[in-house]
C-alpha cells in the first residue's frame, strides 16, 4: 500500500480560536510528524441555519505560522483569487514564501460563498472569467516574469516581484469547475478536492481521480504529472463533534491503526497527499492523528 504525505487543516469556524491555540496546534503538528499545515481563506459565513461566524484572515495567519515553524509546508486551502487584486496577492504570497524559507504551497480557487463577497463588497459576478485573468497574472509574477496584462477585469503594467524568490511556491488548484480546471491544469503542480466531493471514501476518490484524469487530457496534460491532494474528514469523538453530518459523507473513524489504514486507502485511490480535517480539531486531536502517522511510518 502507498504511504501518502499527510497534512492537517487548522480550525476555521468550528469554534472561536485565538492565536495562542493556533500556535500550540501548529507546533504540535510539526512535532508529531505532519508534512503540511493549511488554513481556510474565508471571511464570513451566515444564512446557512447556523450562527454567524468568521475566521481570522488567512494570509496574516500564514505569515505568522511561517515564522514559528521550521519544516512543514504551509498553505491556504484554498486562496480565493477573486478576493484580491492579483498582482497584490502574488506579492503577498511571495512574501509568505520568503518568511517560510520556501515552504509555501499556494492553493487557489475562484470562491463560492456569496455571503462573504457581498458583505465585503467583492464582486461575485463572472467569477470564472475574473479567475482566469487573475491566475494569468499571479502565476506569471510568481514565476519571475515581468507582467503587462490588460483584461476585462484585471490589469498589470510592467509589474514585477522584487526581491525575487529563490524558487516559486508550489501551485495547487482546488476546484472541480470546468473553466477553472481548463485554465490551471496546464500550469499547476497539484490538484486538491474537499471530502464532500467524493464522499470521503476510497471508492469515491478513485472515481474523482478518473474525472481529473479526463480534465488533464482535455487540457493537453499528461495526468501522471499532476500531484493529487484530498481532504479527509476524520471524526475522533462523536460527542464533541464540531461539524454537522453531511449527506453522502462517511467520516473516517477508529483507532490509530484504523485511521492509518484509511489514509493508506486514500493513497491507493490516487492521493499523493491527504489533508486531515479533524472533528473536533484540537491540539489533542492532532496528537491522536499523530499516533496514526507513527503507524503509517512503521
Amino acid at each position: 500500500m502507498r504511504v501518502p504525505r499527510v497534512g492537517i487543516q487548522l480550525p476555521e469556524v468550528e469554534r472561536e480560536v485565538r492565536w495562542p491555540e493556533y500556535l500550540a496546534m501548529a507546533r504540535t503538528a510539526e512535532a508529531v510528524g505532519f508534512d503540511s499545515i493549511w488554513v481556510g481563506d474565508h471571511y464570513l459565513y451566515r444564512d446557512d441555519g447556523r450562527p454567524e461566524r468568521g475566521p481570522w484572515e488567512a494570509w496574516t495567519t500564514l505569515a505568522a505560522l511561517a515564522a514559528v515553524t521550521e519544516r512543514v509546508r504551509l498553505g491556504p486551502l484554498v486562496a480565493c483569487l477573486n478576493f484580491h487584486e492579483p498582482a497584490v496577492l502574488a506579492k503577498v504570497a511571495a512574501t509568505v514564501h520568503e518568511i517560510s524559507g520556501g515552504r509555501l504551497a499556494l492553493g487557489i480557487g475562484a470562491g463560492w460563498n456569496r455571503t462573504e463577497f457581498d458583505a465585503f463588497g467583492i464582486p461575485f459576478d463572472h467569477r470564472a472569467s475574473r479567475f482566469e485573468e487573475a491566475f494569468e497574472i499571479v502565476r506569471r509574477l510568481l514565476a519571475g516574469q515581468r507582467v503587462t496584462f490588460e483584461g476585462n477585469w484585471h490589469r498589470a503594467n510592467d509589474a514585477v516581484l522584487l526581491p525575487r524568490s529563490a524558487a516559486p511556491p508550489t501551485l495547487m488548484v482546488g476546484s472541480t469547475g470546468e473553466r477553472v480546471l481548463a485554465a490551471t491544469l496546464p500550469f499547476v503542480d497539484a490538484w486538491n478536492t474537499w471530502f464532500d466531493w467524493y464522499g470521503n471514501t476510497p471508492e469515491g476518490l478513485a472515481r474523482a481521480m478518473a474525472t481529473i484524469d479526463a480534465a488533464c487530457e482535455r487540457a493537453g496534460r499528461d495526468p501522471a504529472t499532476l500531484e493529487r491532494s484530498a481532504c479527509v474528514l476524520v471524526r475522533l469523538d462523536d460527542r464533541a463533534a464540531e461539524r454537522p453530518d453531511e449527506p453522502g459523507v462517511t467520516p473516517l473513524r477508529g483507532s490509530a491503526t484504523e485511521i492509518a489504514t484509511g489514509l493508506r486507502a486514500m493513497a491507493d485511490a490516487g492521493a499523493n497527499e491527504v489533508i486531515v480535517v479533524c472533528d473536533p480539531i484540537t491540539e489533542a486531536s492532532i496528537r491522536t492523528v499523530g499516533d496514526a502517522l507513527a503507524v503509517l511510518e512503521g
Side-chain angles (χ1 to χ4, degrees):
M1 299 179 78
R2 295 172 58 187
V3 178
R5 299 189 305 275
V6 183
I8 186 79
Q9 187 191 36
L10 297 187
E12 188 185 47
V13 292
E14 294 87 344
R15 64 183 187 285
E16 188 173 286
V17 178
R18 301 286 170 164
W19 169 246
E21 187 176 358
Y22 280 111
L23 174 60
M25 285 191 286
R27 286 177 167 166
T28 296
E30 188 163 62
V32 302
F34 280 93
D35 298 297
S36 57
I37 293 173
W38 303 85
V39 300
D41 183 23
H42 286 283
Y43 294 157
L44 183 66
Y45 294 90
R46 63 159 72 111
D47 302 327
D48 60 357
R50 301 173 63 192
E52 186 177 63
R53 60 215 185 276
W56 298 108
E57 197 279 322
W59 285 103
T60 312
T61 303
L62 286 168
L65 292 172
V68 298
T69 56
E70 297 179 355
R71 177 187 57 79
V72 289
R73 294 162 63 240
L74 301 164
L77 194 67
V78 290
C80 178
L81 294 196
N82 290 327
F83 282 173
H84 308 272
E85 283 299 320
V88 174
L89 179 61
K91 184 71 172 178
V92 171
T95 303
V96 172
H97 194 46
E98 172 67 18
I99 294 169
S100 72
R103 293 181 285 129
L104 178 67
L106 177 53
I108 55 170
W112 58 269
N113 179 16
R114 180 158 192 163
T115 291
E116 58 198 346
F117 282 79
D118 290 346
F120 283 80
I122 302 166
F124 191 73
D125 63 307
H126 303 286
R127 280 178 301 137
S129 297
R130 293 176 188 273
F131 175 90
E132 289 165 342
E133 292 185 6
F135 177 68
E136 174 81 5
I137 294 170
V138 168
R139 73 166 182 84
R140 289 175 57 192
L141 284 172
L142 290 175
Q145 297 180 29
R146 188 177 294 272
V147 177
T148 295
F149 181 91
E150 186 71 30
N152 291 322
W153 314 106
H154 299 295
R155 58 195 52 83
N157 183 18
D158 198 28
V160 63
L161 299 183
L162 298 174
R164 294 185 182 275
S165 299
T170 298
L171 281 179
M172 179 181 80
V173 62
S175 178
T176 58
E178 184 174 339
R179 286 183 61 184
V180 170
L181 290 174
T184 58
L185 287 178
F187 304 102
V188 296
D189 304 292
W191 166 84
N192 169 264
T193 184
W194 193 248
F195 56 78
D196 64 352
W197 193 56
Y198 69 94
N200 212 58
T201 67
E203 298 78 15
L205 184 59
R207 290 191 294 270
M209 294 300 181
T211 299
I212 298 306
D213 286 346
C216 284
E217 291 167 356
R218 288 194 298 271
R221 175 168 186 164
D222 179 356
T225 66
L226 182 71
E227 290 272 304
R228 316 296 176 96
S229 165
C231 296
V232 178
L233 177 62
V234 178
R235 182 161 289 166
L236 299 169
D237 185 347
D238 285 317
R239 295 167 299 176
E242 297 171 326
R243 289 179 170 274
D245 290 332
E246 298 183 47
V249 173
T250 304
L252 177 59
R253 293 181 169 93
S255 66
T257 298
E258 289 169 325
I259 292 171
T261 298
L263 298 181
R264 283 197 189 101
M266 297 299 184
D268 289 338
N272 304 102
E273 179 172 34
V274 293
I275 299 174
V276 174
V277 181
C278 285
D279 187 20
I281 174 57
T282 63
E283 186 179 354
S285 295
I286 291 171
R287 291 188 184 279
T288 297
V289 180
D291 295 337
L293 299 186
V295 174
L296 275 173
E297 294 169 359

